[in-house]
C-alpha cells in the first residue's frame, strides 16, 4: 500500500506568515508523529497522536506551533508567525501503535526568508 | 529519560571495508532500539530493530546490529561497504510507551 505522504515537499515563506504542513499517514496506523530536522541537529520530536487520546505536545518549541489530526487520519502542523529559526525539514511518521517501528514520509522543507 | 549518543558525526570507509557505526543509549527500562537510514532528500527508512528478542539483529542491505546490555551499546555493522551505502544513519531508542528519541546521526561516506 501507499506510504506516508507529506505536502508540500518544499515551502518558502516570508517571516511572520503562517504555514500549514500536511501529513497523510499509512492507512490503519493509529500513531502519528511530527519531527523537525535541522542541519546538524538530528531529529527533534514535536508532537505525537495516538488514536483518540489527547496528543503529546511536549516537544512543541513554542505556542506558535500547533497540530491537529482529523478523524484519526490526516494531520496538519501549523506554524504561526514564522521565524527564520523555523527553517528546517519537517518529517511526519506513522506506526501501527506506539511500540512498533515508525514509517516516515519524505518531509517538507520549510524555508523562512 | 532515554537518550542516544552516536559517536562520530561523519565516518568515511573504503568500498569493500567494514562499516562500524557506533550507538550508545541510556534507558531506565529495557529499551527498544532502532537504526534508520536517510538518503539525500528522502525520509527515514528502517534498517533494523531490537525488541528484546535475539541480541544480534539482522536488517536490510546486509546490515546488522548487536545489543550489548553491559555496554549499553547497539552498534551497526556491515562486513563490506558498497557505494550505495553512503547516507545518514540514525540510532533511536524507545522505552516502549514513549516516542522515539533519535541520535544526531552519522553521515557515512564510501570511497571508491
Amino acid at each position: 500500500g501507499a506510504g506516508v505522504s507529506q505536502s508540500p515537499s518544499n515551502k518558502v515563506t516570508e517571516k511572520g506568515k503562517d504555514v500549514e504542513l500536511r501529513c497523510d499517514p499509512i492507512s490503519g496506523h493509529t500513531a502519528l508523529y511530527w519531527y523537525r530536522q535541522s542541519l546538524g541537529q538530528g531529529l527533534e520530536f514535536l508532537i505525537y497522536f495516538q488514536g483518540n487520546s489527547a496528543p503529546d505536545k511536549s516537544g512543541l518549541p513554542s505556542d506558535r506551533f500547533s497540530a491537529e489530526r482529523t478523524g484519526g487520519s490526516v494531520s496538519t502542523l501549523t506554524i504561526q508567525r514564522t521565524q527564520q529559526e523555523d527553517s528546517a525539514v519537517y518529517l511526519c511518521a506513522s506506526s501501527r501503535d506506539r511500540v512498533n517501528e515508525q514509517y516516515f514520509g519524505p518531509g517538507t522543507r520549510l524555508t523562512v526568508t | 529519560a532515554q537518550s542516544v549518543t552516536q559517536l562520530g558525526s561523519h565516518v568515511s570507509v573504503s568500498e569493500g571495508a567494514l562499516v562500524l557505526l557506533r550507538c550508545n543509549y541510556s534507558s531506565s527500562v529495557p529499551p527498544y532500539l532502532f537504526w534508520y537510514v536517510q538518503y539525500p532528500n528522502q525520509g527515514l527508512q528502517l534498517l533494523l530493530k531490537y525488541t528484546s528478542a535475539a541480541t544480534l539483529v539482522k536488517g536490510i542491505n546486509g546490515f546488522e546490529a548487536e545489543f550489548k546490555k553491559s555496554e549499553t551499546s547497539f552498534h551497526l555493522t556491515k562486513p563490506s561497504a558498497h557505494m550505495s551505502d553512503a547516507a545518514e544513519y540514525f540510532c533511536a531508542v524507545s522505552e516502549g510507551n514513549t516516542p522515539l528519541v533519535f541520535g544526531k546521526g552519522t553521515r557515512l561516506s564510501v570511497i571508491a
Side-chain angles (χ1 to χ4, degrees), chain A residues 73-89:
Chain A
S73 182
V74 172
S75 177
T76 302
L77 176 69
T78 301
I79 309 174
Q80 296 178 309
R81 305 181 303 281
T82 52
Q83 303 295 313
Q84 288 187 329
E85 59 263 29
D86 298 335
S87 296
V89 175

Side-chain angles (χ1 to χ4, degrees), chain A residues 19-65:
Chain A
V19 296
E20 286 189 351
L21 312 180
R22 178 187 168 104
C23 172
D24 279 275
I26 293 173
S27 177
H29 280 192
T30 61
L32 186 148
Y33 308 78
W34 283 98
Y35 296 89
R36 179 167 68 176
Q37 185 175 25
S38 304
L39 190 63
Q41 296 299 312
L43 273 76
E44 175 188 10
F45 164 74
L46 297 177
I47 188 169
Y48 159 65
F49 295 90
Q50 172 63 56
N52 295 322
S53 302
D56 176 355
K57 304 179 182 180
S58 60
L60 294 178
S62 77
D63 59 8
R64 296 186 296 106
F65 288 72

Side-chain angles (χ1 to χ4, degrees), chain A residues 33 35 37 40-45 48 56 89 91 96 98-107 109, chain B residues 32 34 36 38 41-46 49 51 88 90 94 96-105:
Chain A
Y33 308 78
Y35 296 89
Q37 185 175 25
Q41 296 299 312
L43 273 76
E44 175 188 10
F45 164 74
Y48 159 65
D56 176 355
V89 175
L91 292 167
R96 286 203 306 272
R98 65 194 318 175
V99 301
N100 278 283
E101 64 266 28
Q102 297 177 21
Y103 296 83
F104 283 79
R109 181 175 298 278
Chain B
Y32 294 86
F34 305 80
Y36 284 84
Q38 185 178 33
N41 299 315
Q42 295 186 26
L44 278 70
Q45 178 184 3
L46 181 69
K49 64 177 180 178
T51 56
E88 186 99 18
F90 293 92
S94 169
N97 61 350
T98 56
L100 296 184
V101 173
F102 287 84
K104 292 188 180 295

